[in-house]
């Protein structure tokens, strides 16, 4: 129902001018489900079953290790299979935990429910591997595996050690691990990145008030930097939703980062990260840049609104 509502909203947002099968959401569904041959070729190395499954089991390994452990891999991201022996260790943990869950299914009372918890993540990842291979947050669908694993482990310990004192001690240890893991997670928060993102939002709010319904030239290096900072390839398009991108020779304004904006006449002097200047300032900069570097500085291809 929600997906249908979103598709309907998207269709009416385009005033019915775009056919249903060409809507952005439908196109996204096509390549995520593997129906886009061009995209399949571009990501062939990552969507191949061997590297894909290695990445999925590494994610399960990360989720199955308490963050209280020293040098946890919580920040591994989608590069979880590119860390040498650490990747091998994570894959080993993931496969072992998953295997233990499969074996444990034969000994639990509610087999069908437990199996659904264990296998639900693969029910998403397998058909959606064009999306799951590089979106590490989609590993949340595997949450049932560590839940079942630790449940089985506690049940096993309970059967082996029926003494009340032993179970109370185990509960205290589990509580301590949970508290320490929560504390460690609170320290993982990307404070520096969050502060930078907050500054970016404020800067673009000022810029957007000046560029509404006007054209803006965005340097290629600046777009790349914004992608690295926020891992959001469409960040500039989002921030400048009320304007459109244009080549530097035709644009009304030019975006600059701090290193290029020093000693320049700025239209947004109070900004901290991204600055807006008039086109003539761009030509002043070009005069100071070696000709081979100019092509790298600006993306001369025009983006559509």
């Amino acid at each position: 129902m929600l997906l249908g509502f979103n598709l309907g909203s998207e269709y009416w947002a385009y005033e019915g001018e775009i056919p249903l099968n060409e809507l952005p959401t439908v196109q996204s569904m096509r390549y995520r489900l593997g129906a886009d041959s061009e995209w399949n070729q571009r990501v062939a190395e990552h969507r191949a079953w061997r590297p894909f499954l290695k990445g999925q089991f590494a994610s399960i390994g990360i989720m199955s290790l308490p963050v209280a452990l020293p040098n946890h891999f919580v920040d591994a991201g989608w590069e979880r299979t590119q860390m040498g022996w650490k990747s091998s260790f994570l894959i080993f943990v993931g496969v072992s935990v998953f295997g233990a869950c499969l074996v444990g299914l034969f000994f639990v009372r509610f087999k069908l429910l437990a199996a659904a918890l264990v296998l639900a993540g693969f029910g998403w990842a397998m058909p959606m591997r064009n999306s799951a291979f590089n979106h590490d947050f989609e590993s949340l669908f595997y949450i049932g595996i560590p839940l079942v694993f630790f449940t089985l482990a506690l049940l096993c310990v309970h059967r082996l050690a029926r003494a009340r004192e032993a179970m109370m001690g185990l509960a205290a240890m589990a509580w301590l691990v949970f508290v320490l893991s929560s504390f460690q997670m609170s320290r993982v928060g990307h404070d520096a990145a969050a502060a930078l993102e907050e500054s970016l939002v404020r800067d673009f709010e000022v810029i957007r008030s000046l560029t509404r319904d006007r054209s803006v030239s965005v340097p290629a290096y600046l777009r790349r930097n914004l992608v690295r900072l926020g891992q959001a390839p469409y960040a500039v398009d989002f921030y400048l939703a009320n304007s459109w991108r244009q080549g530097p020779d035709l644009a009304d304004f030019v975006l600059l980062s701090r290193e290029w904006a020093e000693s320049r006449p700025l239209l947004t002097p109070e900004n901290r990260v991204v600055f807006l200047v008039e086109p003539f300032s761009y030509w002043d900069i070009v005069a100071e840049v070696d000709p081979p570097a100019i092509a790298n500085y600006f993306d001369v291809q025009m983006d559509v609104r």
Side-chain angles (χ1 to χ4, degrees), residues 176-244:
L176 181 61
V177 169
F178 176 77
V179 171
L180 291 176
S181 296
S182 298
F183 174 72
Q184 289 294 91
M185 279 301 301
S186 70
R187 301 178 63 188
V188 170
H190 307 280
D191 297 335
L196 178 60
E197 193 69 29
E198 186 177 352
S199 297
L200 275 174
V201 171
R202 287 198 299 264
D203 288 355
F204 273 105
E205 286 178 349
V206 176
I207 291 171
R208 190 162 54 244
S209 66
L210 299 173
T211 61
R212 182 180 296 273
D213 297 326
R214 307 285 295 277
S215 60
V216 184
S217 183
V218 182
Y221 88 97
L222 184 56
R223 182 181 289 272
R224 290 192 295 267
N225 285 346
L226 289 174
V227 170
R228 283 195 293 268
L229 291 173
Q231 297 183 356
Y234 303 109
V236 174
D237 303 301
F238 173 78
Y239 287 130
L240 300 177
N242 293 317
S243 60
W244 65 92

Side-chain angles (χ1 to χ4, degrees), residues 1-16 20 23 25:
M1 290 175 62
L2 182 59
L3 179 59
F5 174 79
N6 288 341
L7 288 173
S9 301
E10 198 169 80
Y11 180 80
W12 289 111
Y14 285 102
E15 299 180 348
L20 186 64
L23 289 175
T25 296

Side-chain angles (χ1 to χ4, degrees), residues 4 39 81 102 132 146 170 196 220 230 232 246 281 289 304:
W39 176 255
T81 59
L102 292 181
L170 184 63
L196 178 60
Q246 188 69 280
S281 297
V289 179
V304 297

Side-chain angles (χ1 to χ4, degrees), residues 30-68:
R30 287 185 68 254
Y31 80 78
R32 292 176 192 275
L33 287 168
D36 188 327
S37 58
E38 181 180 351
W39 176 255
N40 290 347
Q41 291 180 353
R42 289 176 58 184
V43 298
E45 179 181 353
H46 303 289
R47 73 185 300 269
W49 284 110
R50 182 180 178 85
F52 171 75
L53 290 175
K54 289 172 63 176
Q56 300 307 294
F57 281 114
S59 293
I60 296 171
I62 293 174
M63 298 177 68
S64 303
L65 295 171
V67 185

Side-chain angles (χ1 to χ4, degrees), residues 35-305:
D36 188 327
S37 58
E38 181 180 351
W39 176 255
N40 290 347
Q41 291 180 353
R42 289 176 58 184
V43 298
E45 179 181 353
H46 303 289
R47 73 185 300 269
W49 284 110
R50 182 180 178 85
F52 171 75
L53 290 175
K54 289 172 63 176
Q56 300 307 294
F57 281 114
S59 293
I60 296 171
I62 293 174
M63 298 177 68
S64 303
L65 295 171
V67 185
L69 294 176
N71 299 319
H72 193 271
F73 310 96
V74 70
D75 268 344
W78 81 285
E79 298 178 347
R80 53 195 177 275
T81 59
Q82 304 174 21
M83 300 184 296
W85 68 268
K86 295 181 180 179
S87 297
S88 300
F89 172 71
L90 290 175
I91 295 170
F92 172 78
V93 172
V95 171
S96 300
V97 168
F98 179 64
C101 289
L102 292 181
V103 173
L105 292 178
F106 292 97
F107 301 97
V108 296
R109 182 178 179 184
F110 301 102
K111 293 180 172 57
L112 185 60
L113 292 176
L117 275 172
V118 172
L119 301 174
F122 290 99
W124 168 268
M126 293 296 188
M128 298 288 288
R129 76 182 195 272
N130 275 16
S131 177
F133 81 85
N134 69 333
H135 291 146
D136 55 297
F137 56 82
E138 293 189 19
S139 61
L140 285 173
F141 290 107
Y142 294 115
I143 188 63
I145 295 176
L147 286 176
V148 171
F149 173 77
F150 285 109
T151 299
L152 292 172
L154 291 172
L155 288 173
C156 183
V157 173
H158 176 64
R159 292 177 180 175
L160 294 176
R162 292 185 174 274
R164 178 181 176 85
E165 295 77 9
M167 294 306 299
M168 291 183 62
L170 184 63
M173 289 178 57
W175 177 83
L176 181 61
V177 169
F178 176 77
V179 171
L180 291 176
S181 296
S182 298
F183 174 72
Q184 289 294 91
M185 279 301 301
S186 70
R187 301 178 63 188
V188 170
H190 307 280
D191 297 335
L196 178 60
E197 193 69 29
E198 186 177 352
S199 297
L200 275 174
V201 171
R202 287 198 299 264
D203 288 355
F204 273 105
E205 286 178 349
V206 176
I207 291 171
R208 190 162 54 244
S209 66
L210 299 173
T211 61
R212 182 180 296 273
D213 297 326
R214 307 285 295 277
S215 60
V216 184
S217 183
V218 182
Y221 88 97
L222 184 56
R223 182 181 289 272
R224 290 192 295 267
N225 285 346
L226 289 174
V227 170
R228 283 195 293 268
L229 291 173
Q231 297 183 356
Y234 303 109
V236 174
D237 303 301
F238 173 78
Y239 287 130
L240 300 177
N242 293 317
S243 60
W244 65 92
R245 259 52 71 219
Q246 188 69 280
D249 54 335
L250 300 174
D252 298 315
F253 303 101
V254 175
L255 284 185
L256 293 177
S257 58
R258 176 174 295 279
E259 65 269 24
W260 290 94
E262 294 179 353
S263 303
R264 306 290 174 187
L266 304 176
L267 299 175
T268 56
E270 301 299 323
N271 284 14
R272 300 181 58 185
V273 183
V274 183
F275 301 85
L276 192 69
V277 300
E278 294 180 349
F280 71 85
S281 297
Y282 157 71
W283 297 115
D284 291 341
I285 294 173
V286 169
E288 301 174 8
V289 179
D290 294 334
I294 296 176
N296 293 327
Y297 180 72
F298 269 86
D299 183 358
V300 296
Q301 293 182 352
M302 301 180 187
D303 298 329
V304 297
R305 174 177 276 199

